[in-house]
Amino acid sequence: MRLILFLFTFLSAITFAQVTPKPAQRDPYLQKPATAKPQLAKPGDKVRIIHADEIKKDTKYDGNRYFVGNVQIEHQGSILYADELVVYDKENFVRAIGNTKLQNSDGSVITAGEMEYDADTQKGVARKDVVLTDPKGTIIKTDIMYYDRVSNQAYYNTGGTINDGKSTTYSKSATYFLTTRTVDLTGTVKIVDREYTLEGNNVVQNQNTNIVTINGYTVITNNKNPKNRIITDKGTHNLNTKESFLTKNSRIYYNDKILTGDEMYYNQLTGFGTATGNVTLDDPYEKRYLKGGYGEIFEKKDSAMMTKNPYAVKILEKDSIYFAAEKILSYQKLDAANVKKSYLRAFKKARIYKSNAQGRADSIAFNETDGIMHMYTKPILWSGQKQVTGDKVEAYFNTETENIDSLKVIGNGFAISKADSLNMKDEFNQVKGKLMTVYYEGKQIKDVRVIGNAQAITYADDFNEKTKQNERIGVTLSSCGIIGALFEEQKLQIISCSIGALSSTFPMSKIEPEKQKFPDFNWNTRDRIRKWQDILVDTPNYEEIKYESENSLYDQAQEAINKQKAAEEAKKPKRVRK
């Protein structure tokens, strides 16, 4: 009986040993091209078995040898560990099962539940809780990983994470180039560190420099303040220094403001940023935006600067204000009462446009919160057919009605208005003095109060009941300590003249043309801003308006006087020399 049992066992073993091994069922990634020709094995090409507790060959793996228990194999300097290993000798192919670990010669390690490896192509597939650790500590986790030892790269498309100790990257698919330590991330990508989150499509992350190259729509968000973020379609972002260089469809959101430009730089740590090209800084909260060719922002100081033909627009519901200069600054700071207020400053050749007030000066400072504007160095302000100049002009805006309430002119105040806006006569009402206050009613200048060396030249008219027209009476010259003047229907009427008042009215036939204007008369039509686009140039350089001199009565009177003098001179006896 024992002999029969022995023979049966012996014959069974021989039968199993003679089972023809079947080819491996490979992952598509490991399929060889149908045209591939078999190559002769070279020393080191074959997988070398280092250790196994048992070696078996039966029907479990279709007649192929398999090794069980503490299995170790070596190929081209890399060692594969597993609980169980199936060897497909003719294909130079192995399948590892249970606690698999591939220790590569470059120092990288892959662990997984199971692996497949083709020794001819040096390509492999790892499945189930796959973890790749590179020599510098970057850890990649996924469900299925494809790796190529020749090109030294790993790839997954089933979703995974990459952690370098500082940030964690989540992506649908990724190709990791172990030699250069760069990761090509496609599909939806998310990189999270302690302070910021980057979300985008198609980015490349360099694990050596920690620089992310952006090749698709991407958002970089401040974790503590999600409103502060960067949006771009192309550029680079340094995960260490938090510096971004942006080159396409980019926007920087900070402190409720939005900076855009053709090319931009931004440091999220310092809050400093620059933009070139078509630059816009939009402040929806302040209802104001700046445009120019170059801009800088200082997030922590809540300030910005714009140059290269810059201009700013204060958006108002009824009548916006436009500013331009060589340089424009916007900033916020606390006042004495610890209230944050917004300011706008324009430097060198500053211009301003509002439908009822236009002006220019060397520099303009505007308190947007309180509606106070200061104009420095040769300021000039036009309003309708009126012009105001002085050493310094202060304009006070009503923040509710959006109109100017009043102007204060400090030093050499000079107000000029056309005596009659309906004609082209060279006749102008003028009032001047050390200090001047101009009051508005609605959108028009209503009255003026001048203190200190106040002087006025005004044209006096009288209404003719018969002709129903105003007739020119003459010109009044006034000199007082204080003058109060009223504008009514484009006319200037002196309503008060006190402290050393001197006032005289001369008929048109008795006042010299040169006395009808002060010596520093400066009516300016060449530089006047007529539309908001005029602020975009240093001066619109309009053709100077030429007015018609109206001196016929004076000329006739002088002619009569001269004739009378000549007649009197003719009557005098002439002395004859003997």
Side-chain angles (χ1 to χ4, degrees):
M1 185 68 180
R2 289 180 179 178
L3 179 60
I4 295 171
L5 182 61
F6 171 77
L7 291 172
F8 177 78
T9 305
F10 176 74
L11 291 172
S12 299
I14 292 175
T15 302
F16 286 129
Q18 293 176 348
V19 173
T20 302
K22 293 183 179 180
Q25 297 296 315
R26 298 167 174 250
D27 186 281
Y29 175 73
L30 301 176
Q31 295 294 332
K32 296 180 179 179
T35 57
K37 297 180 180 180
Q39 299 179 351
L40 295 175
K42 297 178 182 178
D45 284 352
K46 289 292 184 180
V47 172
R48 184 170 65 88
I49 307 299
I50 299 175
H51 178 271
D53 292 344
E54 297 181 68
I55 304 175
K56 296 183 179 183
K57 184 177 183 182
D58 52 34
T59 58
K60 183 176 182 181
Y61 293 108
D62 299 321
N64 293 286
R65 289 189 304 156
Y66 63 98
F67 301 80
V68 180
N70 300 310
V71 182
Q72 296 180 37
I73 66 170
E74 184 273 338
H75 183 256
Q76 300 285 349
S78 295
I79 299 175
L80 175 63
Y81 303 84
D83 292 339
E84 191 168 294
L85 182 80
V86 184
V87 180
Y88 299 85
D89 291 298
K90 290 185 179 181
E91 302 173 56
N92 206 15
F93 180 83
V94 298
R95 177 177 285 114
I97 304 164
N99 296 313
T100 62
K101 175 182 176 182
L102 178 62
Q103 180 77 51
N104 289 307
S105 56
D106 65 355
S108 62
V109 177
I110 300 175
T111 62
E114 59 182 51
M115 294 186 191
E116 295 177 17
Y117 179 70
D118 187 324
D120 290 340
T121 62
Q122 297 190 50
K123 291 182 179 181
V125 178
R127 296 185 182 86
K128 299 178 182 179
D129 301 322
V130 183
V131 179
L132 183 152
T133 305
D134 79 358
K136 293 189 177 181
T138 295
I139 299 172
I140 301 177
K141 295 181 179 181
T142 186
D143 289 334
I144 302 175
M145 179 178 288
Y146 306 91
Y147 57 92
D148 186 336
R149 292 184 56 232
V150 175
S151 60
N152 206 21
Q153 67 184 51
Y155 166 77
Y156 67 79
N157 61 6
T158 54
T161 63
I162 304 172
N163 189 292
D164 62 359
K166 296 180 180 179
S167 64
T168 301
T169 301
Y170 306 86
S171 66
K172 176 66 177 177
S173 62
T175 301
Y176 186 32
F177 301 89
L178 281 82
T179 303
T180 59
R181 299 191 73 234
T182 58
V183 190
D184 192 344
L185 304 157
T186 57
T188 302
V189 180
K190 187 176 183 180
I191 303 175
V192 181
D193 65 15
R194 187 166 55 90
E195 297 174 319
Y196 296 92
T197 298
L198 183 151
E199 296 178 274
N201 298 309
N202 303 327
V203 303
V204 177
Q205 183 178 0
N206 189 311
Q207 296 292 310
N208 288 323
T209 61
N210 240 349
I211 292 177
V212 176
T213 301
I214 298 167
N215 296 304
Y217 180 81
T218 300
V219 181
I220 306 169
T221 305
N222 186 313
N223 295 335
K224 293 182 180 179
N225 186 1
K227 291 193 299 182
N228 286 6
R229 63 196 186 278
I230 297 170
I231 296 177
T232 187
D233 283 348
K234 193 171 184 62
T236 61
H237 176 71
N238 191 314
L239 293 168
N240 292 335
T241 63
K242 309 304 179 188
E243 292 177 287
S244 298
F245 295 87
L246 316 171
T247 58
K248 184 179 179 182
N249 298 333
S250 308
R251 302 186 296 279
I252 297 172
Y253 294 78
Y254 75 100
N255 299 345
D256 298 316
K257 301 171 181 62
I258 308 166
L259 178 68
T260 62
D262 294 339
E263 293 186 1
M264 304 171 68
Y265 162 82
Y266 185 57
N267 188 317
Q268 290 175 309
L269 297 181
T270 64
F272 173 72
T274 65
T276 58
N278 297 305
V279 183
T280 300
L281 178 59
D282 191 6
D283 189 340
Y285 183 79
E286 287 296 333
K287 296 181 179 179
R288 182 244 302 130
Y289 64 85
L290 277 66
K291 282 184 175 292
Y294 175 79
E296 294 181 358
I297 60 172
F298 306 85
E299 178 184 343
K300 294 183 178 180
K301 294 182 178 180
D302 210 354
S303 65
M305 181 272 293
M306 196 77 71
T307 60
K308 293 187 177 180
N309 302 316
Y311 69 92
V313 182
K314 179 71 174 179
I315 303 172
L316 303 176
E317 292 183 8
K318 301 175 183 177
D319 189 13
S320 297
I321 310 174
Y322 299 79
F323 298 86
E326 291 185 0
K327 179 189 293 185
I328 296 179
L329 301 181
S330 67
Y331 58 95
Q332 291 183 318
K333 68 176 184 179
L334 299 175
D335 65 2
N338 209 33
V339 177
K340 182 179 283 189
K341 295 185 177 181
S342 296
Y343 299 86
L344 191 74
R345 298 196 69 179
F347 293 95
K348 291 187 178 180
K349 300 179 181 179
R351 288 90 67 189
I352 177 178
Y353 175 86
K354 200 174 184 294
S355 67
N356 67 321
Q358 307 84 40
R360 56 176 61 246
D362 183 67
S363 63
I364 295 175
F366 184 40
N367 180 332
E368 298 177 81
T369 306
D370 295 338
I372 302 174
M373 184 177 70
H374 301 265
M375 302 176 68
Y376 301 95
T377 311
K378 296 181 180 179
I380 180 169
L381 191 75
W382 296 275
S383 184
Q385 291 294 316
K386 306 172 186 67
Q387 175 186 292
V388 177
T389 58
D391 294 340
K392 176 185 175 183
V393 173
E394 295 178 357
Y396 297 85
F397 291 82
N398 186 316
T399 55
E400 293 183 1
T401 64
E402 302 177 359
N403 289 325
I404 299 176
D405 275 349
S406 62
L407 301 176
K408 185 180 290 185
V409 185
I410 302 170
N412 296 308
F414 194 170
I416 305 172
S417 70
K418 191 74 172 59
D420 189 342
S421 61
L422 300 178
N423 62 41
M424 296 298 295
K425 293 181 179 181
D426 191 15
E427 299 174 339
F428 294 88
N429 294 312
Q430 303 151 62
V431 59
K432 59 182 296 188
K434 288 185 176 180
L435 300 175
M436 180 184 294
T437 304
V438 181
Y439 299 94
Y440 279 72
E441 185 176 272
K443 294 186 175 183
Q444 302 296 328
I445 292 178
K446 182 63 176 176
D447 55 80
V448 178
R449 182 177 175 84
V450 184
I451 300 175
N453 295 331
Q455 302 175 66
I457 297 175
T458 56
Y459 285 79
D461 292 337
D462 187 26
F463 185 74
N464 189 319
E465 291 292 343
K466 292 182 179 180
T467 61
K468 302 297 181 182
Q469 291 183 348
N470 285 324
E471 293 180 354
R472 180 62 40 82
I473 298 175
V475 178
T476 301
L477 306 182
S478 304
S479 177
C480 320
I482 300 175
I483 284 180
L486 178 67
F487 286 96
E488 282 187 336
E489 298 179 356
Q490 304 300 325
K491 306 296 182 183
L492 180 63
Q493 178 184 355
I494 303 299
I495 56 174
S496 65
C497 184
S498 56
I499 307 178
L502 293 173
S503 182
S504 301
T505 300
F506 298 87
M508 298 303 295
S509 60
K510 293 187 178 182
I511 183 168
E512 299 92 328
E514 56 271 18
K515 288 186 178 181
Q516 296 180 31
K517 292 178 182 177
F518 289 118
D520 52 350
F521 180 85
N522 58 1
W523 183 256
N524 187 334
T525 58
R526 185 178 67 88
D527 299 322
R528 176 162 187 173
I529 298 164
R530 300 179 184 178
K531 55 184 184 297
W532 82 264
Q533 289 87 348
D534 287 346
I535 69 169
L536 302 179
V537 293
D538 291 347
T539 173
N541 200 25
Y542 288 118
E543 185 177 353
E544 195 75 49
I545 296 176
K546 296 180 180 180
Y547 296 94
E548 301 170 0
S549 298
E550 183 54 60
N551 300 317
S552 58
L553 294 178
Y554 178 78
D555 292 341
Q556 290 173 12
Q558 289 300 307
E559 184 179 354
I561 292 173
N562 291 334
K563 285 182 178 180
Q564 184 177 356
K565 287 183 178 179
E568 292 177 356
E569 191 68 26
K571 293 179 181 179
K572 292 181 180 178
K574 292 183 171 59
R575 298 177 63 184
V576 179
R577 270 186 200 178
K578 294 183 179 180

